[in-house]
Amino acid sequence: MNLSYLVIYCSDPDASRDWYESALGLWFQREQHGVNRPVHYSTTLDGGTVLELYPAGDRPVTRTRIGITVPDPYGVTPAPTVITDPDGNTIAIEARAASA
């Protein structure tokens, strides 16, 4: 099984986009599927999973914990780090050696 996409509902998608780009080095595209649909942001992660940042609108803001693994080019394997986005979602970052 593969995860195709993950939608995070944000109080301020622009601020969330800026945060994810700065904190994780992701690059998002602005999208809008139809005239009356919300503007949102989308990026595709290394494994092909699409991450989308949508305005929450009438929905509750997402409260999610996401785990990601990043390459460790120096082989030092630091302790996992947990960071928090503008809406309180947490991202646990684990580094693994390139050969792992």
Side-chain angles (χ1 to χ4, degrees):
M1 177 184 340
N2 290 322
L3 182 62
S4 299
Y5 62 89
L6 174 64
V7 176
I8 297 177
Y9 293 104
C10 311
S11 58
D12 182 345
D14 292 321
S16 291
R17 177 207 57 215
D18 293 347
W19 185 88
Y20 279 89
E21 287 181 348
S22 175
L24 299 177
L26 299 174
W27 184 82
F28 287 85
Q29 292 182 302
R30 182 183 185 275
E31 295 184 342
Q32 184 176 18
H33 306 296
V35 177
N36 296 324
R37 305 293 295 172
V39 171
H40 62 281
Y41 298 98
S42 174
T43 190
T44 302
L45 305 177
D46 290 342
T49 301
V50 174
L51 174 61
E52 295 183 317
L53 305 173
Y54 264 82
D58 293 337
R59 296 177 184 89
V61 172
T62 302
R63 292 286 186 244
T64 303
R65 182 175 173 94
I66 303 168
I68 63 172
T69 303
V70 297
D72 174 13
Y74 305 108
V76 295
T77 313
T81 300
V82 176
I83 56 178
T84 304
D85 79 3
D87 286 310
N89 296 298
T90 56
I91 296 92
I93 304 170
E94 180 180 349
R96 290 207 183 134
S99 62

